[in-house]
Amino acid sequence: MTFKKLSYFFVWFTISTFFSCTQEEKGILVNNISEFNQAVPNLKPGDNLILADGKWENVELKLIAKGTAEAPIIMRAQTPGKVIISGQSNLRISGEYIVASDLVFKDGFTPTSEVIALRTSKEALANHTRITNCVIDGFNNPERFDADTWVSIYGKNNQFDHNTLINKGNQGVTFAIKMNTEASQENGHIVEYNYFGPRQVLGSNGGETVRIGTSHYSRKYSNSIVRKNYFDRCNGEHEIISNKSCGNEFRDNVFFESQGTLTMRHGHHTLVENNYFLGNRKPNTGGIRIINEYQTVKNNYMAGLTGYRFRGALVIMNGVPNSPINRYNQVVDSKMEGNIVVDSDYIQLCAGSDEERSAVPVGTTFKDNIIMGKTNLTPFTIYDDVSGIEFSGNIMNEEATLPLPEGFTKVEFSLSRNENGLRVPSQPLIEKAGFESIKLPVSKDETGANYYPKNDITTTFGSGKMVQVAPGENTIIEALETSQPGDVLELENGGEYLLTKYAFVNHTITIRAKEGSKALIKSEKSSFFKIENGGALLLDNILVDGAESPDQAGNNVISTSKYSMNQNYALVVKNCEVKDLDKNHTFDFLKIYKNTFADSIQIINSNFKNVTGSILILDTEVEDLGIYNVENVAILDSKFEDVQGSIANIYRGGTDESTFGPITSVKGVEITNSGKGKRNKIGAVLRFHGVQTLIIDSVQISDSKGVDLFMTNGEPITKVSNVTFTNSAGLKTNGEPYDSENIVVNNK
Ligand code: CA
């Protein structure tokens, strides 16, 4: 059986579905799980097992069957996209020459650790089997860190094509090729024309979109081909693809605005060719990272990538001498050749060099690469000895700084947009790099299940309708209950709004008063707003007053769900005034719970006065597993006065290197008489532990506790400038008073 035959078969099959009456007459229609279970043992080569249109809820479909190369067994939906598998459900297949197609998994999650698995037991695997035209959409375990894999391919010679996998929210690889027994090695799987749609930032390791193998079996060959797939905003973690086995090919894929890189994490003899990485200057967008031996990276195109360190456009890592199988193999005899890198910021050689990773690349070439751009004129960072890399024929534009005296030539800057909408250097340079033309090897439309939309999954603030909300009791809650995602609830200037119940925020909502006097909100409950799973809240021009809050400890203005949230939330507070959060002790502004994650928390141009608790405490992930609570935090142009707790406490523990955040800015901030309450256990007004990018600028701290920085792993970027401490504790890093030329502290 060859894949050509399978493809031929599929063409026939697709055409024949247009004549669905005759098709159904030949097929075996099953209406529910018990009919399915009765039909499966009797399936013969050439049979068509047809799942009736409708909702299949709480079904564990187990298909054990044996087709032939000429007459595969087909399991499909009566109408593509009209069979919805929901609830606690999954699909397992073993046998051979089976095609499963047209199924949609949504509104549920798998009770096991896989949604689709090409095995029915550890021994019973599927070979020569194809999954096509299927969808898994948001099929997420409600427990964010209850990990599962959406698709696990076992066995040999299987094909996964034209599927749509979007919106994975919980931990676990989206698509994995497993190699845990010999029967799943040297497998020759083909993964093509799939749409790997948006995957939110996980805030932990375990958010890979594709993984082939694991470190344990990484010196075995998989020989898989991953081609013509479209990766759209796959932002789970810094490995979009984690290659962990030998002999794989990645070609003709498109990576659109995806954070992270195609990483050759383990395994040798990988070919990475003609992939297109389009960053559009989005944060943390990266390219290709080489680790291990005999890797070939050639004729790839990267544009607008901003990622640095392990997320650079091109990265060659240092290894660990005699590396254990799960650490970093030295880079040996590898090639990075003929790649075109435009408008991208970082190329990193000997990345990760440290005491442990001291084995520099050897026998490796870096040649005929075209690196052109003005976004960063010194794009190369060389962390260690590069004498084991041969440089030749590389081109950079004349404004840039060459990283080395040999192997690079300067030419005139020549980027322009070509007929395919891509930024390209001049044609002679394109040809010099070994390309004929610069054109996406696959379009978004060519990928994924043909019946399923590729709509955006996120709503932005203000994208819905405007709803006028009259002052009074619970009018905000009534408006929230009938609101749609993106709606703006507009309050009256100077109006008074009382909440006698929790205001649940279940989707993206803006609550604002027009420019002018603020609208006043009070609450009689222990929280004003509760951001539930799927929620996001923007408050604008609001006065929040704790005067009606209950006389009990531990109130807050905004809290997350108490339960695990598998969808990231966002919170923006701008032009607001928050005062008298002082009914009893520990009245916080924001209270978050474990297993929740914010894409973004912003406080802009707002004032806080007289608070018995803290403003932003983001420290619930205390196990030091590299999990944290927030990706981006910005506190800008705001004042804090008489806050007994801390203004911000952000914690990311552990030494995991697979995430980007937290990324934090504190600028234009005044802190007065704060942090001195006896319940402020951290003893600081600002405390940042393991924050990966931290900018503190123009901050005045008076009569307050100080600032504590704990810089842990991952070469954090920390810039502190124009900080004035008056009658306050100063700035400490890792417990010591700060003393560095890179950081300016004006301590009066
Ligand atoms: Ca990872």
Side-chain angles (χ1 to χ4, degrees):
M1 177 70 180
T2 65
F3 280 99
K4 273 197 182 124
K5 278 186 187 160
L6 255 184
S7 300
Y8 171 75
F9 181 84
F10 184 66
V11 169
W12 169 82
F13 161 68
T14 320
I15 294 165
S16 70
T17 54
F18 288 106
F19 309 96
S20 60
C21 290
T22 46
Q23 184 67 31
E24 276 169 35
E25 278 160 21
K26 283 197 286 180
I28 304 153
L29 183 70
V30 290
N31 292 290
N32 53 48
I33 185 75
S34 57
E35 289 181 20
F36 176 90
N37 288 336
Q38 277 171 17
V40 166
N42 303 315
L43 289 173
K44 300 205 171 38
D47 276 351
N48 241 304
L49 180 64
I50 300 165
L51 275 59
D53 289 352
K55 201 170 196 183
W56 289 61
E57 203 167 0
N58 302 327
V59 290
E60 294 198 60
L61 300 165
K62 200 188 257 196
L63 176 59
I64 302 172
K66 219 164 180 182
T68 64
E70 293 71 30
I73 288 168
I74 294 168
M75 180 186 81
R76 65 171 178 87
Q78 188 176 13
T79 310
K82 294 284 195 270
V83 170
I84 310 297
I85 299 174
S86 64
Q88 294 203 28
S89 299
N90 58 26
L91 167 64
R92 280 169 286 182
I93 300 175
S94 65
E96 54 187 36
Y97 300 107
I98 301 162
V99 179
S101 68
D102 310 335
L103 307 174
V104 177
F105 292 81
K106 68 175 189 184
D107 304 325
F109 61 98
T110 179
T112 61
S113 47
E114 295 162 328
V115 179
I116 297 176
L118 291 191
R119 70 170 186 181
T120 53
S121 72
K122 200 165 180 198
E123 292 76 32
L125 313 182
N127 299 311
H128 299 287
T129 288
R130 179 179 189 196
I131 307 288
T132 185
N133 215 31
C134 289
V135 173
I136 305 178
D137 181 355
F139 208 65
N140 294 320
N141 194 301
E143 287 293 336
R144 188 178 184 95
F145 292 106
D146 201 336
D148 55 43
T149 304
W150 275 6
V151 179
S152 286
I153 306 292
Y154 299 86
K156 297 190 189 200
N157 301 306
N158 297 317
Q159 184 169 349
F160 186 81
D161 66 275
H162 295 92
N163 299 292
T164 294
L165 304 181
I166 52 175
N167 197 16
K168 192 170 200 305
N170 64 321
Q171 191 175 32
V173 179
T174 308
F175 173 93
I177 290 176
K178 303 275 180 85
M179 298 169 62
N180 55 329
T181 63
E182 216 173 299
S184 291
Q185 295 163 9
E186 297 180 30
N187 51 55
H189 301 314
I190 292 183
V191 181
E192 62 182 10
Y193 291 103
N194 298 293
Y195 177 67
F196 293 99
R199 176 161 190 180
Q200 67 185 5
V201 173
L202 180 62
S204 162
N205 192 11
E208 303 87 353
T209 294
V210 168
R211 192 184 71 209
I212 304 182
T214 53
S215 60
H216 195 74
Y217 303 99
S218 62
R219 293 189 183 148
K220 305 287 184 191
Y221 280 76
S222 175
N223 301 328
S224 291
I225 298 176
V226 176
R227 64 186 174 206
K228 304 250 179 195
N229 299 288
Y230 198 94
F231 294 84
D232 186 2
R233 290 162 286 168
C234 294
N235 297 338
E237 60 146 279
H238 83 157
E239 293 174 292
I240 308 166
I241 293 180
S242 184
N243 183 72
K244 292 188 168 179
S245 51
C246 297
N248 298 314
E249 274 184 41
F250 300 90
R251 56 165 68 245
D252 301 335
N253 300 290
V254 174
F255 297 82
F256 179 81
E257 294 181 6
S258 292
Q259 297 191 16
T261 60
L262 190 171
T263 302
M264 281 159 266
R265 184 66 188 86
H266 298 295
H268 312 310
H269 296 283
T270 314
L271 175 63
V272 179
E273 185 175 12
N274 201 46
N275 299 286
Y276 279 55
F277 294 80
L278 310 176
N280 289 331
R281 306 290 304 161
K282 292 280 156 62
N284 303 317
T285 45
I288 299 167
R289 181 157 70 113
I290 292 185
I291 308 157
N292 305 291
E293 305 174 11
Y294 308 105
Q295 314 289 36
T296 302
V297 174
K298 67 173 189 183
N299 299 146
N300 298 285
Y301 169 87
M302 19 274 290
L305 303 178
T306 64
Y308 95 116
R309 198 170 180 254
F310 295 178
R311 284 80 69 168
L314 296 172
V315 182
I316 300 177
M317 291 277 293
N318 256 21
V320 176
N322 303 309
S323 175
I325 200 160
N326 65 342
R327 291 300 293 156
Y328 287 83
N329 201 115
Q330 185 178 22
V331 174
V332 177
D333 293 350
S334 292
K335 297 181 172 124
M336 202 166 243
E337 298 179 358
N339 301 290
I340 294 181
V341 181
V342 305
D343 302 326
S344 296
D345 295 350
Y346 295 101
I347 294 172
Q348 315 267 280
L349 305 177
C350 305
S353 168
D354 60 16
E355 254 172 49
E356 184 207 15
R357 285 179 294 226
S358 61
V360 298
V362 294
T364 292
T365 54
F366 188 94
K367 68 185 222 194
D368 298 332
N369 298 294
I370 314 290
I371 297 131
M372 192 164 279
K374 293 182 180 173
T375 54
N376 180 5
L377 295 175
T378 52
F380 280 82
T381 317
I382 296 178
Y383 292 91
D384 207 331
D385 174 15
V386 289
S387 61
I389 305 177
E390 182 197 329
F391 295 88
S392 67
N394 300 295
I395 304 282
M396 295 178 78
N397 48 298
E398 58 197 359
E399 299 83 355
T401 308
L402 300 185
L404 294 161
E406 307 284 327
F408 290 82
T409 313
K410 284 187 174 183
V411 300
E412 195 181 340
F413 180 87
S414 64
L415 292 183
S416 64
R417 207 163 283 283
N418 73 1
E419 66 279 13
N420 304 314
L422 299 170
R423 291 260 288 168
V424 297
S426 64
Q427 190 61 25
L429 290 178
I430 291 171
E431 286 165 20
K432 181 183 183 304
F435 285 79
E436 279 173 31
S437 65
I438 302 294
K439 182 176 190 289
L440 292 187
V442 67
S443 72
K444 191 167 154 180
D445 287 346
E446 288 173 277
T447 62
N450 55 15
Y451 52 83
Y452 208 78
K454 299 184 180 80
N455 295 341
D456 244 325
I457 53 164
T458 49
T459 30
T460 48
F461 288 118
S463 59
K465 63 183 184 301
M466 189 78 82
V467 181
Q468 302 297 327
V469 182
E473 192 174 304
N474 294 335
T475 50
I476 290 174
I477 291 171
E478 287 153 22
L480 276 172
E481 282 167 355
T482 56
S483 67
Q484 295 296 313
D487 283 357
V488 177
L489 309 189
E490 193 164 87
L491 313 190
E492 253 178 39
N493 289 114
E496 286 194 30
Y497 295 79
L498 180 68
L499 307 171
T500 68
K501 297 183 276 188
Y502 294 128
F504 290 103
V505 176
N506 294 303
H507 45 238
T508 301
I509 279 291
T510 301
I511 300 177
R512 54 166 285 207
K514 272 190 291 230
E515 213 175 314
S517 58
K518 293 177 169 48
L520 168 65
I521 304 180
K522 297 178 190 172
S523 172
E524 294 181 355
K525 295 289 282 181
S526 59
S527 290
F528 290 54
F529 298 98
K530 281 180 178 283
I531 300 177
E532 297 294 305
N533 199 29
L537 178 63
L538 187 156
L539 296 176
D540 182 4
N541 203 27
I542 302 293
L543 170 61
V544 173
D545 188 331
E548 297 298 331
S549 295
D551 185 2
Q552 62 187 41
N555 293 327
N556 56 68
V557 175
I558 298 160
S559 86
T560 65
S561 171
K562 263 187 187 150
Y563 307 104
S564 180
M565 291 167 71
N566 63 17
Q567 295 180 58
N568 297 354
Y569 68 96
L571 172 65
V572 181
V573 177
K574 62 178 187 182
N575 310 317
C576 287
E577 195 177 329
V578 178
K579 65 167 192 169
D580 299 335
L581 307 185
D582 63 348
K583 280 285 178 72
N584 218 308
H585 69 80
T586 321
F587 195 149
D588 292 330
F589 180 66
L590 174 67
K591 165 77 181 168
I592 65 152
Y593 288 88
K594 227 175 143 43
N595 300 324
T596 65
F597 189 81
D599 278 325
S600 173
I601 295 176
Q602 298 176 50
I603 293 177
I604 302 165
N605 192 35
S606 294
N607 298 330
F608 296 73
K609 190 171 160 57
N610 193 21
V611 177
T612 62
S614 295
I615 308 301
L616 300 178
I617 301 288
L618 296 152
D619 71 342
T620 71
E621 305 295 345
V622 294
E623 293 84 0
D624 293 350
L625 298 173
I627 300 175
Y628 52 103
N629 292 122
V630 59
E631 189 72 359
N632 296 286
V633 178
I635 304 174
L636 309 175
D637 304 320
S638 294
K639 290 182 185 163
F640 302 88
E641 196 178 343
D642 304 329
V643 177
Q644 293 184 21
S646 62
I647 308 307
N649 176 17
I650 301 175
Y651 186 87
R652 174 193 186 279
T655 56
D656 181 75
E657 294 177 289
S658 48
T659 51
F660 310 103
I663 298 160
T664 301
S665 297
V666 181
K667 290 185 191 170
V669 166
E670 287 178 30
I671 298 172
T672 310
N673 192 38
S674 291
K676 299 194 290 193
K678 66 178 182 201
R679 291 184 176 82
N680 182 14
K681 291 195 186 75
I682 64 167
V685 283
L686 296 171
R687 181 182 192 252
F688 303 113
H689 183 113
V691 166
Q692 295 295 292
T693 303
L694 175 63
I695 313 290
I696 302 179
D697 183 34
S698 303
V699 174
Q700 296 186 31
I701 299 177
S702 310
D703 303 309
S704 296
K705 292 284 185 180
V707 177
D708 280 359
L709 311 183
F710 291 87
M711 286 179 250
T712 56
N713 66 306
E715 297 166 36
I717 296 174
T718 305
K719 290 181 187 161
V720 180
S721 49
N722 305 315
V723 179
T724 311
F725 292 100
T726 308
N727 190 25
S728 301
L731 188 146
K732 284 188 203 160
T733 57
N734 299 2
E736 299 293 323
Y738 205 76
D739 177 23
S740 163
E741 290 173 6
N742 299 326
I743 293 181
V744 181
V745 180
N746 305 314
N747 199 349
K748 284 178 190 163

